[in-house]
């Protein structure tokens, strides 16, 4: 019964295609902000702390440091206000949820970038073009 409901719900919700990212990756989320009758796009650049949920209720949390203060924002995948997501860096982490980042600042808060072979990077650039 619930699989039929999930199937219909999946068919009715418009699906945007975002790049594959995981916890530890540095992304920029371009989000539509509505102020009165004006609409603008604001970018939120930071590290992905966690991904959770599945289907239409799936969310991800992005953390950035703004003026020395940590700011986290939770984004639903299915939000119509997300304009685009840009993958900046692929991080090398051993965990799925990076809550330990909340206590860190400065150099200790850095996430190592995953090193890729030259062939893999060229293939990635070719796929973007």
């Amino acid at each position: 019964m619930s699989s039929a409901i999930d199937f219909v719900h999946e068919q009715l919700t418009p699906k945007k295609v975002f790049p594959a990212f995981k916890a530890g990756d540095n992304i920029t989320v371009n989000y539509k902000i509505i102020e009165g009758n004006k609409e603008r796009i604001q970018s939120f650049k930071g590290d992905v702390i966690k991904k959770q949920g599945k289907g239409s209720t799936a969310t991800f949390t992005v953390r950035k440091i703004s003026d020395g203060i940590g700011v986290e924002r939770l984004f639903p995948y299915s939000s119509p206000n997300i304009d685009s997501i840009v993958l900046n860096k692929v991080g090398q982490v051993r965990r799925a949820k990076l809550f330990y980042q909340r206590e860190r600042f400065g150099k200790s808060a850095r996430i190592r970038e995953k090193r890729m072979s030259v062939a893999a990077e060229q293939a990635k650039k070719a796929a973007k073009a």
Side-chain angles (χ1 to χ4, degrees), residues 13-80:
T13 54
K15 206 75 155 151
K16 287 186 181 176
V17 179
F18 298 129
F21 60 91
K22 58 180 178 34
D25 293 353
N26 187 287
I27 63 171
T28 303
V29 182
N30 295 315
Y31 203 73
K32 289 180 194 162
I33 304 287
I34 299 160
E35 296 171 334
N37 56 358
K38 288 187 210 165
E39 187 178 290
R40 65 184 175 87
I41 293 177
Q42 186 176 39
S43 61
F44 192 90
K45 182 179 179 180
D47 296 321
V48 178
I49 297 297
K50 69 175 178 174
K51 288 171 66 174
Q52 70 177 24
K54 60 179 181 164
S56 61
T57 60
T59 61
F60 60 97
T61 304
V62 181
R63 178 180 174 83
K64 74 173 182 177
I65 304 295
S66 179
D67 294 326
I69 298 170
V71 179
E72 288 186 16
R73 187 151 181 201
L74 189 124
F75 295 98
Y77 272 105
S78 59
S79 172

